[in-house]
């Protein structure tokens, strides 16, 4: 029989050496002037000054000289699609295409076998917005099925062979042309996603590695029947259980977008999925997107007569879903973009609250994705029900401003899109993500988009934006550890190391909070985001395990 201390000795022998980071800057509320941090196992053990670091450094530690780099809490992407991101990274990149001819040339040049897949075209940036026909795509591909998703992934261009194999004729959203929306788009996408499990895992691993290389420690995966099916979500969640000797990746926070109508049905669905689903929310679509003109609007699209988009769920269906999730103590929620879509979601909250009580609705921590068109009354109602808004700042960076997609689709209404400052002012919980592959996994660009919002009145400080991309992401997912998303002693050692040009305090308006730029305010510093380039990720660590490291980190 082994001695009582034998196990502890073995554990100590296998435990990784503590890591001391020094000679840099640490973003921490514990000490805004901290230059060093000690990580022991999966926990932040200490943060402090360079002088103190010299006194505790010893030969038992790995010591990393930061050489001025910044250590900050790792990013949480609050809305992502792993398989779709991996596929987009490996397929035709169409974001720079400027015409139908450019799309056809890209298809014709595509190598390999099987379907020709592409992502990212946006006809609102073209001089001539005419799209290629299904027959032209068929000829360009030499008869291979073609699926080219628009940048918002709510519509796509398909070839005639894909129309046939996916049985699109007669489906809602198919009008005989190349462009498909709604049910026809869902069917076309799913037809090109019937892939072996090892291929699906390869795509997900590619997306996870991309996220780790950009400083993400967790990702909220938004699965749904119309996107990849239950097995795709289980595969995504399965990365959390990877063998300790395998490659390590960011934590996956799985959500499932399927409608339920009773407490029992909600509990049964979560149990059947069996992969730690955090909520029946995410891409359970109340409406579509502005780019594809499927977001539900109160008034018609400015560039399409009186077309008002689509409501995919009735108020009654949405209310039953929220009531069921509230009773089960499960997060519920929807994808909602247009103002009429939000009207339906808010009315559903009212109906659910009358059925099960306001307190149950608030306690469930429901979340709405995107929420791009919210007036003051809607913002107040979101705050009343404690609904978290999971938003994508890079949408404004890509499509806001004069002449952008928002203005094309909405005219004057585009001035009030993505009201981040209004959400914060009203006390609406906000977290941020990319909706990758819709926008890239570039978190500092997303923070910058908050600071440089096209509507000056809706800008927020870099500090608020950073918290929305980090700690708020953990809270929105109802993570069990309240210390997640910060670097203080006892908190999870989940962080990223960044090569930065300059550190500063950035506020949305120089007239407000200018006191916080004074060192005496003890406000932690963040990278300057007006330098023309994003900080470079040198290392990403989750619970003490290294997910990514640049060769420059230890050179």
């Amino acid at each position: 029989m082994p001695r009582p201390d034998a196990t502890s000795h073995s554990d100590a022998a296998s435990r990784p050496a503590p890591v001391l980071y020094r000679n840099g800057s640490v973003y921490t509320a514990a000490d805004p002037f901290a230059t060093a941090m000690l990580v022991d196992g999966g926990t932040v053990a200490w943060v402090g000054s360079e002088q103190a670091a010299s006194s505790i450094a010893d030969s038992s530690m790995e010591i990393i000289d930061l050489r001025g780099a910044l250590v900050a809490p790792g990013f949480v992407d609050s809305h992502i699609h792993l398989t779709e991101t991996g596929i987009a990274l490996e397929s035709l990149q169409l974001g720079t295409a400027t015409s139908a001819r450019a799309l056809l040339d890209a298809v014709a040049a595509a190598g390999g076998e099987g379907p020709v897949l592409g992502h990212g075209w946006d006809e609102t940036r073209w001089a001539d917005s005419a799209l290629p026909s299904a027959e032209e795509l068929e000829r360009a591909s030499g008869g291979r099925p073609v699926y080219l998703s628009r940048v918002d992934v709510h519509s796509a261009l398909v070839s005639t062979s894909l129309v046939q194999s996916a049985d699109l004729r007669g489906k809602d959203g198919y009008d005989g042309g190349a462009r498909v929306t709604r049910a026809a788009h869902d069917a076309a996408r799913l037809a090109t996603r019937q892939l072996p499990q090892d291929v699906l895992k390869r795509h997900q691993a590619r997306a996870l590695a991309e996220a780790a290389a950009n400083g993400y420690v967790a990702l909220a995966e938004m699965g749904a029947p119309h996107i990849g099916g239950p097995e795709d979500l289980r595969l995504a969640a399965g990365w959390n259980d990877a063998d300790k000797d395998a490659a390590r990746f960011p934590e996956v926070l799985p959500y499932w977008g399927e409608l339920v109508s009773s407490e029992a049905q909600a509990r049964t669905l979560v149990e059947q999925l069996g992969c730690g689903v955090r909520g029946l929310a995410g891409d359970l679509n109340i409406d579509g997107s502005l780019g594809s003109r499927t977001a539900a609007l109160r008034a018609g699209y400015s560039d399409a007569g009186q077309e008002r988009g689509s409501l995919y769920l009735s108020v009654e269906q949405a209310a039953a879903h929220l009531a069921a999730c509230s009773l089960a103590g499960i997060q519920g929620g929807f994808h909602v973009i247009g103002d009429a879509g939000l009207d339906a979601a808010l009315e559903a909250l009212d109906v659910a609250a009358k059925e099960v009580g306001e307190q149950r609705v608030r306690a469930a921590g429901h979340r709405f994705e995107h929420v791009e068109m919210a007036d003051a009354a809607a913002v107040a109602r979101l705050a009343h029900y404690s609904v978290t808004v999971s938003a994508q700042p890079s949408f404004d960076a890509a499509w806001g401003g004069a002449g952008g997609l928002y203005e094309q689709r909405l005219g004057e209404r585009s001035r009030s899109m993505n009201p981040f400052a209004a959400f914060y002012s009203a006390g609406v919980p906000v977290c941020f993500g990319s909706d990758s592959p819709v926008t890239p996994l570039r978190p500092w660009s997303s923070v910058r988009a908050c600071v440089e919002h096209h509507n000056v009145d809706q800008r927020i400080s870099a500090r608020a934006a950073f918290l929305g991309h980090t700690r708020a992401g953990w809270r929105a997912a109802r993570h069990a550890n309240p210390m997640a998303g910060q670097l203080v002693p006892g908190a999870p050692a989940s962080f990223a190391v960044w090569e930065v040009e300059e550190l500063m305090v950035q506020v949305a308006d120089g007239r407000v909070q200018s006191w916080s730029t004074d060192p005496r305010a003890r406000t932690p510093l963040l990278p300057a985001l007006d330098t023309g380039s994003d900080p470079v990720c040198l290392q990403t660590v989750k619970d003490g395990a290294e997910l990514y490291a640049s060769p420059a980190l230890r050179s």
Side-chain angles (χ1 to χ4, degrees):
M1 175 178 286
R3 292 176 297 142
D5 62 343
T7 300
S8 59
H9 177 78
S10 174
D11 288 346
S14 62
R15 185 184 180 90
V19 183
L20 178 64
Y21 295 82
R22 60 183 302 182
N23 190 29
S25 182
V26 181
Y27 187 91
T28 172
D31 179 356
F33 307 122
T35 62
M37 179 175 78
L38 179 66
V39 173
D40 190 4
T43 304
V44 175
W46 168 86
V47 293
S49 68
E50 193 62 28
Q51 181 178 3
S54 297
S55 68
I56 65 173
D58 63 39
S59 60
S60 70
M61 302 175 180
E62 179 187 3
I63 298 177
I64 293 180
D65 185 349
L66 294 169
R67 290 172 289 186
L70 170 69
V71 180
F75 285 100
V76 178
D77 193 305
S78 290
H79 191 120
I80 189 175
H81 305 280
L82 287 175
T83 299
E84 293 296 308
T85 296
I87 289 174
L89 288 170
E90 294 189 8
S91 63
L92 299 178
Q93 306 296 306
L94 304 176
T96 58
T98 56
S99 66
R101 172 45 54 190
L103 293 186
L104 293 170
D105 289 345
V107 169
E113 299 177 350
V116 177
L117 305 179
H119 168 73
W121 57 271
D122 182 357
E123 81 287 3
T124 66
R125 300 179 184 272
W126 303 354
D128 179 357
S129 62
L131 298 171
S133 69
E135 292 75 18
E136 288 175 321
L137 291 168
E138 188 77 13
R139 287 194 295 271
S141 70
R144 294 165 63 190
V146 178
Y147 170 89
L148 310 178
S149 55
R150 194 182 182 281
V151 62
D152 56 11
V153 201
H154 278 264
S155 61
L157 298 173
V158 298
S159 62
T160 54
S161 58
L162 185 56
V163 169
Q164 294 168 1
S165 62
D167 193 22
L168 301 187
R169 290 187 176 86
K171 285 186 168 59
D172 178 42
Y174 176 72
D175 63 4
R179 187 169 186 166
V180 291
T181 61
R182 300 190 294 276
H185 172 249
D186 294 342
R189 174 166 57 183
L190 287 172
T192 63
R193 302 308 191 252
Q194 303 305 308
L195 303 169
Q197 188 176 91
D198 63 322
V199 176
L200 291 173
K201 290 192 70 173
R202 187 190 79 221
H203 290 312
Q204 291 186 358
R206 173 74 185 274
L208 288 162
E210 176 78 5
N214 284 281
Y216 290 96
V217 295
L219 311 163
E221 167 69 3
M222 298 298 172
H226 65 279
I227 296 176
E231 188 53 38
D232 189 67
L233 185 71
R234 293 188 186 103
L235 280 177
W239 295 101
N240 294 335
D241 302 321
D243 186 273
K244 66 178 182 179
D245 296 324
R248 303 298 293 272
F249 291 116
E251 182 173 348
V252 176
L253 307 169
Y255 283 84
W256 182 246
E258 184 173 346
L259 196 68
V260 294
S261 58
S262 70
E263 177 185 358
Q265 189 180 7
R267 293 184 184 278
T268 298
L269 179 56
V270 169
E271 184 178 347
Q272 288 175 342
L273 288 165
C275 56
V277 168
R278 291 180 172 268
L280 299 178
D283 275 354
L284 174 53
N285 292 356
I286 270 189
D287 67 349
S289 74
L290 294 169
S292 294
R293 296 196 191 91
T294 51
L297 304 183
R298 295 171 182 168
Y301 281 86
S302 298
D303 57 356
Q306 291 306 302
E307 187 175 336
R308 296 192 180 193
S310 305
L311 272 177
Y312 299 151
L313 299 177
S314 68
V315 170
E316 293 73 23
Q317 288 174 308
H321 181 80
L322 291 172
C325 291
S326 298
L327 289 170
I330 296 169
Q331 281 185 300
F334 313 102
H335 160 119
V336 53
I337 287 182
D339 49 10
L342 184 55
D343 288 342
L346 292 170
E347 187 176 347
L349 280 168
D350 291 338
V351 174
K354 288 179 182 177
E355 181 179 338
V356 304
E358 286 190 4
Q359 184 54 39
R360 272 205 176 98
V361 171
R362 283 195 286 265
H366 301 311
R367 54 185 289 164
F368 291 173
E369 310 299 314
H370 314 309
V371 195
E372 294 197 76
M373 299 178 71
D375 58 21
V379 171
R381 290 169 74 187
L382 289 166
H384 176 76
Y385 287 113
S386 300
V387 173
T388 293
V389 168
S390 168
Q392 292 70 43
S394 291
F395 286 8
D396 180 76
W399 303 318
L405 178 141
Y406 289 159
E407 187 175 84
Q408 293 179 43
R409 295 287 191 264
L410 301 172
E412 285 297 319
R413 290 169 292 176
S414 66
R415 307 284 188 267
S416 58
M417 297 289 292
N418 298 298
F420 300 149
F423 289 145
Y424 275 84
S425 296
V428 175
V430 181
C431 61
F432 294 122
S434 65
D435 198 12
S436 180
V438 177
T439 63
L441 289 161
R442 299 292 182 270
W444 290 112
S445 293
S446 188
V447 172
R448 182 188 297 109
C450 294
V451 179
E452 300 178 355
H453 196 297
H454 282 96
N455 182 345
V456 175
D457 292 336
Q458 296 303 332
R459 291 176 177 174
I460 59 176
S461 69
R463 183 184 184 190
F466 182 73
L467 291 174
H469 282 82
T470 54
R471 193 174 184 185
W474 292 112
R475 289 180 171 179
R478 305 178 79 185
H479 194 269
N481 191 333
M483 300 181 74
Q486 52 185 325
L487 297 179
V488 295
S494 298
F495 57 89
V497 179
W498 301 94
E499 182 181 323
V500 296
E501 296 182 28
E502 179 184 358
L503 294 172
M504 63 182 295
V505 173
Q506 294 159 98
V507 294
D509 187 333
R511 298 168 299 176
V512 183
Q513 295 180 331
S514 58
W515 59 268
S516 66
T517 62
D518 190 313
R520 290 171 296 181
R522 299 179 64 82
T523 302
L525 303 180
L526 286 168
L529 298 175
D530 56 357
T531 62
S533 60
D534 285 354
V536 176
C537 187
L538 299 175
Q539 185 190 39
T540 305
V541 173
K542 170 70 170 61
D543 292 334
E546 187 172 81
L547 311 184
Y548 166 80
S550 164
L553 177 72
R554 297 179 174 91
S555 63

